[in-house]
Amino acid sequence: MTIPVMEIFGPTIQGEGMVIGRKTMFVRTAGCDYSCSWCDSKFTWDGSEKDAIRKMEPAEIVDALKQEGGEHFGHVTISGGNPALLARLDGLIDLLHADGIKVALETQGSRWQEWFTKIDDLTLSPKPPSSGMKTNFSVLDFIIESLQLKQEGSFSLKVVIFDEDDLVYAQEIHQRYPQVELFLQVGNDDLETTDEKEFLPYSLRRYEQLIDRVMENDILKDVRVLPQLHTYLWGNKRGV
């Protein structure tokens, strides 16, 4: 089965979540079952770049990764959209593993796939109130319970924080799944600026504000607070 691919780029660093700072290649797939208000990759699902979608076999994707990244990588991040919509993504994962390459993937936890258990670094990122989306906790419960029983790699939770309601949501997530490592990440509410010199001071202030709120929180004691690291280097530029 072919995979709808929008972008292949790298090597670069992973700017978010449990493997922040990790040298990686990126495969961005098309399609999403959410339409978050602040999504920084709407082009994967809003139809604006539908002509850019390539239907690729897993072997073609591996070849394209090697053509782009040469011998300079040992880690691939599959992103979207929501790559968890793809029932047969395990063909790509198996090929990468056979080549000694580790795989990371992020999904909002709205859909279970058996191949989740093969992912080396799996991030579940349920969307907070500011997104305009509503979490199906029965599905998320099932995913987390399944991963605790079967996961071969590591998995974690990540919540993006834009406002106080999001912080309350993060508390609820932490209390519901206290055994799962939780990362909080400051939300990016400026998707237009591409000049990192303009973007960086504003982003640093927002990150510091989130840190201050978490430090005084009695519930969010065992969490990690992250920036969007890649935006500090390249603003909102794509393909870096």
Side-chain angles (χ1 to χ4, degrees):
M1 183 179 290
T2 58
I3 297 168
V5 176
M6 297 210 71
E7 295 181 311
I8 294 175
F9 61 92
T12 184
I13 60 162
Q14 171 57 258
E16 304 181 357
M18 63 191 293
V19 286
I20 189 169
R22 180 74 152 88
K23 183 179 180 180
T24 190
M25 294 288 295
F26 275 87
V27 176
R28 187 184 297 281
T29 63
C32 193
D33 51 334
Y34 276 20
S35 53
C36 296
S37 60
W38 36 252
C39 179
D40 60 3
S41 52
K42 288 184 179 180
F43 61 91
T44 63
W45 52 263
D46 67 2
S48 61
E49 297 189 22
K50 61 182 179 180
D51 292 339
I53 299 172
R54 292 179 288 166
K55 297 291 186 68
M56 302 178 70
E57 299 280 350
E60 292 181 284
I61 296 173
V62 174
D63 288 344
L65 284 164
K66 291 181 177 179
Q67 183 174 353
E68 184 74 19
E71 298 297 324
H72 304 306
F73 70 96
H75 189 272
V76 169
T77 298
I78 303 172
S79 65
N82 183 11
L85 297 179
L86 303 172
R88 300 294 296 275
L89 202 58
D90 52 333
L92 174 59
I93 297 165
D94 290 344
L95 281 180
L96 292 169
H97 281 166
D99 221 4
I101 298 169
K102 291 188 175 181
V103 181
L105 184 139
E106 180 174 317
T107 177
Q108 59 261 41
S110 61
R111 186 79 62 91
W112 165 257
Q113 298 289 356
E114 287 293 337
W115 51 256
F116 279 4
T117 61
K118 299 181 179 182
I119 299 295
D120 299 286
D121 306 302
L122 177 64
T123 297
L124 302 174
S125 184
K127 304 310 177 188
S130 63
S131 70
M133 300 292 104
K134 187 173 178 61
T135 301
N136 185 331
F137 279 104
S138 63
V139 174
L140 188 57
D141 288 348
F142 175 80
I143 291 173
I144 289 178
E145 289 167 6
S146 299
L147 291 172
Q148 288 172 328
L149 290 172
K150 306 175 185 178
Q151 179 70 353
E152 297 173 14
S154 300
F155 77 97
S156 65
L157 284 159
K158 185 188 81 175
V159 177
V160 180
I161 307 295
F162 282 84
D163 55 33
E164 290 302 322
D165 287 342
D166 291 352
L167 203 63
V168 171
Y169 175 86
Q171 293 176 183
E172 294 170 353
I173 290 289
H174 195 40
Q175 290 175 311
R176 190 180 187 101
Y177 311 110
Q179 73 280 21
V180 182
E181 189 169 23
L182 175 62
F183 295 83
L184 305 183
Q185 181 177 293
V186 64
N188 177 12
D189 63 357
D190 174 10
L191 299 178
E192 302 301 323
T193 301
T194 56
D195 185 340
E196 60 271 17
K197 292 181 181 179
E198 295 180 21
F199 187 86
L200 183 57
Y202 174 72
S203 297
L204 285 171
R205 284 196 301 274
R206 282 182 53 80
Y207 181 39
E208 184 176 14
Q209 289 166 0
L210 177 58
I211 290 173
D212 289 343
R213 296 205 299 272
V214 173
M215 292 308 107
E216 62 188 19
N217 190 289
D218 293 336
I219 296 173
L220 297 170
K221 296 177 181 179
D222 188 20
V223 300
R224 301 190 190 190
V225 186
L226 301 180
Q228 269 195 321
L229 183 58
H230 57 289
T231 64
Y232 287 8
L233 299 171
W234 303 295
N236 289 305
K237 292 178 183 177
R238 280 173 55 181
V240 290

